Each structure stands twice: as structure tokens, then as C-alpha cells.
Amino acid sequence: MTRQDDTAHIHPPKRSQEPFQALAMPVERASTVVFDDLAAFQNRTERLYDGFSYGLYGTPTSRQLEDHLAALEGASRALVVPSGMAAITLATMATCKGGDRVLMPETLYAPARDMALRFLGPLGIEALSYDPRLDARLGELIDERTRLVWVESPGSATFEVQDVPAIVAEAHKAGALVAADNTWASHLLFRPLDHDVDISMQALSKHAGGHGDLLMGSVAVRDEALFRRLKDAARFLGYGVSPEDCALCERGLMTMPVRMRQADATAREILAWLASRSEVVQILHPSQPKHPGHAAWKRNFSGAAGVFSFVLRPDLAPFQAEALRRMRLFKLGASWGGVHSLIAVNDPRKGRVSLDWLKPGPVWRLSIGLETASDLLIDLAQAFDLFAEQQPGTVTPDKAAE
């Protein structure tokens, strides 16, 4: 073995530059990016927003996904980050500084609200939690220090739908930006930027990824200066994404419309079945006429996702664990939006003060996957058989769709 062998192993022969076109997104991995000459190397930071300077700040694979997302969102720019939580943190950090104020609905992703208290607070950024049903009345809480107003419509546990255009009008009147966590609806059912929201955010781990095997988030904007603020903040926070995950997400986008339509269709069958069950005292779904924000959902959204909650009779709480053990297709899991059907059991009342409309009892959230509807109904029915053996409660059901 000669010393020349070392060099030969590192520098392969040049291959043909003839274009290779495939249907799948090419995965281009890199940390180091090399340059043709000294001038290009010395000016590499100028390539941060549109070119390539270092793998952390973007590769052809991540840029292709960002361009695709921007087109789907009706944006001029999009940026992908390691998770939905990272996207919320990024948008907040890029728009607020010490002494500023950010408003967050009580329905916002719980870890994000915890981040606001334990991370933003010590930095001097005040986070105020508000009732998601305030809509235009939110203007009463916006002061001269308010820089950002978050909306999550609908919320991902109790599914209140906010009047986003009304909130945007109040925020912009006071000079504040509006960011929307649009993960439930995605760009397919509601495009925040079309309603003058400044930052549209999604947890791509959910509907876009669609298979429960990647973590990623995105922010999309129409304002170039705001995009550059977000890109700079992402650079300072060290946010980067795996090109392999970008390719998985791009593949997920291709089937996303079909998956979401199927999940919603199956969810409607399950909703009808739940409405007939005496064990269920309330269904939490924007399509329900009495649901908070139903009118806004009907006016602004083009459909519904297959993710919703329902409330069981309070007396059934002791039997939850056994009922869940009977499930074969529904799996216990905190995420949603994938091909597998999931159940999440939690108490959305914790840390909230504006849930007087929510009936007492355990809350189950279902994420409907792509299993056959009849199979999912059988799975639910055999678990509910345990509940049926119990004495009926005295809570009056309020769940039938009109």
C-alpha cells in the first residue's frame, strides 16, 4: 500500500455532468461546502439567504423542500427547522426582545407555553396567556409592548376555532405581528397568509411527514425582511435539518392530500358512531354547530382534519385504563396526523382558566389514520363494551351534529 492510495480513496474520478433526472428528491448531504475561488469563499456569508455557505444553513435538498412549502403556503419564503417546537421558538425569538410582550392562546402547544414561562421570562419577554375565544376582543390585551400574537386555530386538544382575520386586524392596528400554528388544518384546509397572518407555522412531523418517523417544523412568510430575521435567528440558534428527513417530508407531501381526505372521511363515520353512544357526553370537533368557533371554521376553512376529541361520562374515569388495554388498532400516542390511528388521553383543563364550556369527564383525542373505518369502529366498540357495563351517568349528552 502506497501513500498515493490515501489520496485516491478521498478523491474519486470526475464523473459525467450529464443531467440525471429522477422523480424522487435527490438527497444531498454536506457540512462543508467548497468554493471555486478565494472571492467566493470570503463572501460566503452573502450566500446565506439564497445560496449555500455551510451545510447547517441549507443544502439543495432542504431548499427544494422550502421552495415547495412556500408554494403550498402561498408564501414567498419558507424555512424548515428541526421540529414544530423549534419553529414556535424561532418565530418568537426572531420577533421579540427583552421588554417586549407576546400573547399566546391557552390552546397553544403546551411545551411552547412552558417555554414562554421558563425560557422567555428570564430573558425579559413577557408571555401573556389568553382565552382563545376572545377573537376581536383580544385588542383589549394588546399594548404598545406587544410585538407578537400567536393563534392556534383550532387548538389541538379542545379544538376551539379562532376568528383569525378579526385577531389580525386588532394586532396590526397596534403594530404587532401575528403568527399562526396551523398544524391541524395545514395549508390544505386554511392558508393563514391569505388572511394577512405574518408567519404561518406547521409541525411537519404531523400531516406532512405522515408516517410518525420524522421531526421537522416550518415557518412561511411573504415579507423578505421578516424571512431574513427568521433565517438569522435560526442560524444563531444553530438550527439545521437532515436532508434525509427533508426527502421523507417531500415524499409525505406527495400523498398528503389523499391521506387527509381519507382520514377526514373515516373520522366522520366515527363521529356519527360516537354521537350515538351514551358514554360520550360531548364531542369536540369544529363541525359541531355548538362548538366554540364553529361559524369561523365554516367561513374560513375548506374542510376538517381527522383529529378531534370527545368527553366521556365522569363516572367512567376508573375504567379508562382497561378500555384502552382492549384496543388493538388504536395505539396510545401523543402525536397525530399519521397513517396509524392514535389515542391521546390527557386533561386539557390543567393550566387553563377559560374552559367553562367543557363538560366534566375524561377527554380522549383521536387521530384517525388510514385503517378501514369498519375495523376502527370494531376496535372502539369492543373497548366501549366495558363502559356499557357500567351504570349510566347523569350528565346530559350534548353531541349530536345538526
Side-chain angles (χ1 to χ4, degrees), residues 142-183:
I142 300 174
D143 61 16
E144 68 281 355
R145 295 186 299 117
T146 305
R147 295 291 174 266
L148 182 66
V149 176
W150 273 101
V151 296
E152 183 176 12
S153 180
S156 57
T158 45
F159 299 94
E160 298 96 317
V161 180
Q162 298 182 265
D163 190 338
V164 173
I167 293 172
V168 168
E170 292 298 317
H172 285 179
K173 190 190 307 180
L177 299 176
V178 179
D181 182 340
N182 194 43
T183 304

Side-chain angles (χ1 to χ4, degrees), residues 212-295:
D213 58 1
L214 70 88
L215 289 168
M216 196 179 299
S218 66
V219 289
V221 299
R222 288 180 174 169
D223 182 77
E224 178 66 20
L226 180 55
F227 168 76
R228 292 187 174 222
R229 288 168 66 184
L230 290 163
K231 183 70 175 180
D232 285 339
R235 178 164 59 103
F236 301 147
L237 290 168
Y239 285 165
V241 293
S242 157
E244 284 85 357
D245 283 351
C246 288
L248 284 175
C249 188
E250 178 70 16
R251 185 171 64 178
L253 287 175
M254 295 178 187
T255 61
M256 183 176 169
V258 179
R259 289 187 284 103
M260 288 191 70
R261 282 196 296 269
Q262 182 62 36
D264 177 45
T266 302
R268 299 307 177 119
E269 294 189 46
I270 292 175
L271 283 167
W273 183 84
L274 290 170
S276 71
R277 302 292 303 204
S278 63
E279 299 91 348
V280 178
V281 297
Q282 190 175 16
I283 290 174
L284 311 179
H285 190 286
S287 66
Q288 305 293 293
K290 294 183 180 180
H291 190 76
H294 169 73

Side-chain angles (χ1 to χ4, degrees), residues 323-341:
L324 290 166
R325 271 193 291 269
R326 295 187 178 192
M327 297 286 195
R328 293 296 176 264
L329 297 179
F330 282 95
K331 305 297 183 182
L332 273 171
S335 191
W336 44 272
V339 299
H340 298 85
S341 292

Side-chain angles (χ1 to χ4, degrees), residues 40-368:
F41 176 75
Q42 291 178 331
N43 296 323
R44 64 191 182 278
T45 56
E46 297 176 5
R47 304 158 64 95
L48 178 66
Y49 307 106
D50 295 296
F52 304 102
S53 60
Y54 188 65
L56 180 65
Y57 310 137
T59 65
T61 307
S62 64
R63 293 289 169 81
Q64 183 175 333
L65 176 60
E66 289 169 344
D67 289 346
H68 195 177
L69 289 167
L72 295 172
E73 292 265 18
S76 62
R77 294 281 205 160
L79 179 65
V80 292
V81 293
S83 66
M85 180 66 194
I88 295 174
T89 302
L90 171 65
T92 307
M93 294 295 292
T95 56
C96 298
K97 62 181 185 307
D100 290 343
R101 196 183 202 201
V102 55
L103 304 186
M104 295 179 163
E106 291 181 1
T107 49
L108 192 68
Y109 185 49
R113 289 185 280 124
D114 193 34
M115 175 272 294
L117 294 175
R118 300 175 59 181
F119 180 61
L120 298 183
L123 296 176
I125 301 173
E126 179 189 6
L128 179 66
S129 184
Y130 70 88
D131 182 345
R133 298 172 298 170
L134 285 177
D135 293 337
R137 291 174 293 154
L138 185 63
E140 300 172 9
L141 301 180
I142 300 174
D143 61 16
E144 68 281 355
R145 295 186 299 117
T146 305
R147 295 291 174 266
L148 182 66
V149 176
W150 273 101
V151 296
E152 183 176 12
S153 180
S156 57
T158 45
F159 299 94
E160 298 96 317
V161 180
Q162 298 182 265
D163 190 338
V164 173
I167 293 172
V168 168
E170 292 298 317
H172 285 179
K173 190 190 307 180
L177 299 176
V178 179
D181 182 340
N182 194 43
T183 304
W184 182 87
S186 84
H187 51 270
L188 283 169
L189 306 179
F190 179 72
R191 296 211 311 184
L193 301 182
D194 289 350
H195 297 271
D196 293 327
V197 167
D198 300 285
I199 302 172
S200 177
M201 169 261 156
Q202 291 189 60
L204 301 176
S205 316
K206 306 296 194 294
H207 294 307
H211 294 77
D213 58 1
L214 70 88
L215 289 168
M216 196 179 299
S218 66
V219 289
V221 299
R222 288 180 174 169
D223 182 77
E224 178 66 20
L226 180 55
F227 168 76
R228 292 187 174 222
R229 288 168 66 184
L230 290 163
K231 183 70 175 180
D232 285 339
R235 178 164 59 103
F236 301 147
L237 290 168
Y239 285 165
V241 293
S242 157
E244 284 85 357
D245 283 351
C246 288
L248 284 175
C249 188
E250 178 70 16
R251 185 171 64 178
L253 287 175
M254 295 178 187
T255 61
M256 183 176 169
V258 179
R259 289 187 284 103
M260 288 191 70
R261 282 196 296 269
Q262 182 62 36
D264 177 45
T266 302
R268 299 307 177 119
E269 294 189 46
I270 292 175
L271 283 167
W273 183 84
L274 290 170
S276 71
R277 302 292 303 204
S278 63
E279 299 91 348
V280 178
V281 297
Q282 190 175 16
I283 290 174
L284 311 179
H285 190 286
S287 66
Q288 305 293 293
K290 294 183 180 180
H291 190 76
H294 169 73
W297 172 78
K298 196 170 183 180
R299 181 186 71 229
N300 296 330
F301 289 67
S302 62
V307 186
F308 64 92
S309 296
F310 60 89
V311 184
L312 290 166
R313 292 194 332 246
D315 59 287
L316 296 177
F319 309 102
Q320 290 185 99
E322 179 57 33
L324 290 166
R325 271 193 291 269
R326 295 187 178 192
M327 297 286 195
R328 293 296 176 264
L329 297 179
F330 282 95
K331 305 297 183 182
L332 273 171
S335 191
W336 44 272
V339 299
H340 298 85
S341 292
L342 299 173
I343 292 180
V345 180
N346 56 51
D347 185 359
R349 304 169 185 86
K350 290 181 179 178
R352 294 194 55 181
V353 297
S354 58
L355 272 175
D356 55 308
W357 61 273
L358 185 67
K359 291 185 177 295
V363 177
W364 287 18
R365 185 183 71 190
L366 302 186
S367 172
I368 306 304

